[in-house]
Amino acid sequence: FRLAATEAPPQVKALFNKYSDNNGVMNPDHFHRFLVQVHHDMNAPLSHYFIFTGHNSYLTGNQLSSDCSDVPIIQALHKGVRVIELDIWPNSTKDDVHVLHGGTLTTPVELIKCFKSIKQHAFTASEYPVVITLEDHLTTDLQAKVAKMVRDTFGDMLFAPGTEPLQEFPSPESLKRRIIISTKPPKEYLKSEETKASGNPSQRENDSEAWGGEIPNFKSRSAEFKDDLEEEDEEEDLHDDNVAPEYRSLIAIHAGKGKGGLDDWLSVDPNKVRRLSLSEQELEKAAKTHGPQIVRFTQRNILRVYPKGIRFDSSNYNPLVGWMHGAQMVAFNMQKPDILMNNESIFDPRVQLSVKMILKVTVYMGEGWYYDFSHTHFDAYSPPDFYTRVGIAGVPADTIMKRTKAIEDSWIPAWNEEFEFPLTVPELALLRIEVHEYDMSEKDDFGGQTCLPISELRKGIRAVPLHNQKGDKYKSVKLLMHFDFVEFVA
């Protein structure tokens, strides 16, 4: 179990010598020359960006019986989440507002407590705006109470442009440190109160562990379960008499689905913008028949995708279907690529394009497991046998996984292997990286993972930190890698 030294790869030695002095020392000035800034233009409308989005942000565990609390909201904000969802219901005496997952055994938390925590922690990780999406099941008098609660809590932080829908969304830059309310007009309370039962936990589809299996093809799955525990159909008329006027004036991002079918839902109004919510099943169906229309819709409007109702264990769906159609409220706070914003030629994810770029990835070596894991975690009697899987998650034509050889009995494995990935849509591609420990007799042990947007990669040698299966970064575990690109001129 002794930690043995490992030689740096020749390419790393050569680069170090290039930036250090003749005595083999790299001082701060030398190191500064090696670093490269990366940034985004945040002055485009909000609809031009992918937004890190939470679902049922108040739940501490499963969707049926866990506690509701402000703690997961605080944790999400500290991770950089920019969209917090709250389901709001009358309390038992109908004189106050609680947050809970309706029709379940989840224990409630007071809405005012959630609001105060959001105000305190909203801009800890980022100064860009926080959107609060409200799934509203309130009577008119309680809406008025929520309106006062919102204004008293957030004050000047609140972005509330008035009762009329916006003609265009403002930019994230102009909305720094602002709180934005987004909701649909509520139905009458008695209708909303009716709870419908559906699904069966034993019938739930088996989902692979985080990044443990291959990304499935984007084939529409059977929609035999309804999303009854999720959002109800949205109606577009925000001037409904059942909506308290002071509450309506708070809504900056109006949500609405309309009463027609997909063509109506995805219609683009040149005079106003809105938010549309689709379940993962609705999106998968729509993507088969209305792919370009979805992309056109998301150029001006916001699309939110939420998990199907039978995900009782709070598992997540494959986000790539949403991202490649321009859906903003799935994850990641970054600018949407130009391919999704081109009005002249609307992108269709189903059409295979020619290769635009070859990504070259070299996996040099890894370290840190010796410090972050017990020394018998992987093997009881010898050092671990690590191998790395690298590949692409993206449009179907680009999706692939490859792997290195396993290095036997080493806490600091040196693979020195290069892989090439032809990419047809690099703007929507993610680099998947996993490390596993080979086990001849049992399932291979998990040793770390990360996922990096190709658009964020820069040429050169990089230290890539790895995360556990929950997405928390390990303290010491990282890989030394090299990235290079060969681009083809159209």
Side-chain angles (χ1 to χ4, degrees):
F1 293 98
R2 182 170 56 85
L3 187 63
T6 300
E7 279 274 314
Q11 299 94 323
V12 176
K13 287 182 177 179
L15 190 65
F16 183 86
N17 292 335
K18 178 181 176 181
Y19 284 92
S20 59
D21 60 24
N22 293 331
N23 297 317
V25 175
M26 183 181 286
N27 64 31
D29 289 335
H30 297 147
F31 186 59
H32 185 264
R33 286 195 297 135
F34 181 69
L35 300 179
V36 179
Q37 185 181 11
V38 178
H39 73 281
H40 289 289
D41 174 11
M42 303 300 282
N43 292 296
L46 197 64
S47 56
H48 289 216
Y49 299 84
F50 293 125
I51 307 170
F52 198 179
T53 300
H55 177 69
N56 289 352
S57 309
Y58 50 87
L59 288 178
T60 57
N62 69 65
Q63 302 283 311
L64 295 179
S65 61
S66 65
D67 292 335
C68 301
S69 169
D70 64 330
V71 172
I73 295 172
I74 294 169
Q75 292 172 339
L77 291 168
H78 281 220
K79 289 180 178 178
V81 171
R82 299 290 86 191
V83 183
I84 299 294
E85 184 192 29
L86 303 176
D87 290 2
I88 51 179
W89 295 79
N91 66 353
S92 57
T93 54
K94 308 292 190 290
D95 62 352
D96 202 0
V97 181
H98 279 170
V99 174
L100 74 154
H101 198 194
T104 69
L105 300 176
T106 54
T107 57
V109 59
E110 292 180 344
L111 176 62
I112 186 63
K113 186 175 184 181
C114 296
F115 280 164
K116 287 180 177 178
S117 293
I118 291 172
K119 179 182 181 181
Q120 183 178 351
H121 299 275
F123 306 109
T124 303
S126 169
E127 289 194 323
Y128 289 110
V130 167
V131 179
I132 303 174
T133 61
L134 299 175
E135 187 173 329
D136 180 351
H137 306 272
L138 301 180
T139 52
T140 306
D141 59 324
L142 286 179
Q143 289 175 355
K145 184 165 188 169
V146 170
K148 185 176 188 308
M149 205 183 290
V150 168
R151 292 198 181 277
D152 289 349
T153 303
F154 298 113
D156 292 339
M157 297 169 68
L158 186 68
F159 174 73
T163 56
E164 295 301 319
L166 293 164
Q167 289 189 327
E168 184 179 65
F169 290 118
S171 70
E173 190 67 33
S174 70
L175 292 171
K176 274 186 173 179
R177 303 190 71 84
R178 303 297 292 273
I179 300 293
I180 303 171
I181 303 297
S182 178
T183 186
K184 61 179 181 285
K187 297 182 179 181
E188 295 177 33
Y189 171 61
L190 290 176
K191 290 182 183 177
S192 298
E193 195 178 39
E194 295 173 1
T195 302
K196 297 167 278 182
S198 75
N200 182 329
S202 65
Q203 292 174 300
R204 180 173 51 82
E205 296 175 42
N206 292 323
D207 293 294
S208 301
E209 293 182 26
W211 300 114
E214 296 308 320
I215 294 206
N217 291 328
F218 302 127
K219 294 178 180 175
S220 181
R221 296 182 184 133
S222 171
E224 58 195 52
F225 302 107
K226 294 182 181 178
D227 297 325
D228 291 328
L229 294 176
E230 299 305 330
E231 300 192 12
E232 300 182 24
D233 286 343
E234 298 168 348
E235 296 182 14
E236 205 164 69
D237 184 10
L238 280 165
H239 299 279
D240 190 326
D241 291 337
N242 291 326
V243 182
E246 59 267 56
Y247 180 76
R248 186 190 304 128
S249 67
L250 296 178
I251 303 171
I253 301 178
H254 291 188
K257 205 176 223 176
K259 296 183 178 181
L262 269 174
D263 290 321
D264 183 42
W265 297 355
L266 297 170
S267 63
V268 176
D269 190 328
N271 298 313
K272 64 180 180 181
V273 290
R274 60 190 170 96
R275 170 174 69 85
L276 170 68
S277 287
L278 296 177
S279 71
E280 59 175 294
Q281 292 157 308
E282 288 175 322
L283 177 67
E284 285 184 354
K285 282 184 177 180
K288 294 189 72 175
T289 58
H290 290 68
Q293 290 98 312
I294 301 172
V295 174
R296 186 184 294 279
F297 177 85
T298 61
Q299 291 179 350
R300 271 181 49 80
N301 302 282
I302 288 176
L303 174 60
R304 177 176 174 269
V305 183
Y306 60 92
K308 58 190 175 186
I310 59 167
R311 290 188 181 275
F312 301 126
D313 59 354
S314 299
S315 61
N316 279 316
Y317 53 96
N318 180 356
L320 288 163
V321 185
W323 287 336
M324 72 175 64
H325 288 88
Q328 298 90 343
M329 290 188 176
V330 180
F332 287 126
N333 184 18
M334 60 183 183
Q335 194 166 358
K336 286 165 62 178
D338 290 339
I339 193 172
L340 293 173
M341 301 307 302
N342 186 347
N343 271 307
E344 303 301 320
S345 176
I346 300 297
F347 174 64
D348 186 345
R350 297 169 301 172
V351 176
Q352 183 162 343
L353 305 174
S354 57
V355 173
K356 281 187 182 177
M357 170 197 296
I358 293 178
L359 170 66
K360 295 182 178 181
V361 177
T362 304
V363 186
Y364 287 129
M365 57 192 296
E367 68 166 9
W369 295 278
Y370 187 86
Y371 304 106
D372 292 355
F373 292 82
S374 73
H375 296 171
T376 57
H377 178 88
F378 297 105
D379 279 317
Y381 303 107
S382 65
D385 308 326
F386 288 123
Y387 65 91
T388 297
R389 299 179 77 222
V390 290
I392 301 296
V395 298
D398 294 347
T399 300
I400 192 173
M401 287 299 286
K402 301 180 181 181
R403 59 163 286 178
T404 68
K405 59 183 177 294
I407 302 297
E408 295 184 2
D409 299 338
S410 177
W411 286 102
I412 310 179
W415 297 281
N416 297 318
E417 292 189 43
E418 183 182 282
F419 302 94
E420 292 191 359
F421 300 102
L423 302 176
T424 63
V425 190
E427 302 95 326
L428 296 175
L430 305 172
L431 178 64
R432 292 176 54 187
I433 304 169
E434 307 170 1
V435 174
H436 299 270
E437 198 271 338
Y438 175 72
D439 194 318
M440 186 181 298
S441 58
E442 299 178 8
K443 181 181 177 181
D444 292 355
D445 294 314
F446 176 84
Q449 66 173 347
T450 194
C451 194
L452 306 170
I454 301 300
S455 59
E456 296 292 305
L457 297 182
R458 294 297 176 264
K459 289 185 179 183
I461 295 171
R462 299 288 182 262
V464 179
L466 298 186
H467 303 69
N468 64 19
Q469 287 164 304
K470 293 183 178 180
D472 301 319
K473 188 164 72 172
Y474 290 124
K475 184 177 180 181
S476 309
V477 177
K478 52 187 174 290
L479 298 180
L480 190 66
M481 306 183 72
H482 183 273
F483 305 124
D484 197 6
F485 309 93
V486 178
E487 300 192 37
F488 298 97
V489 180

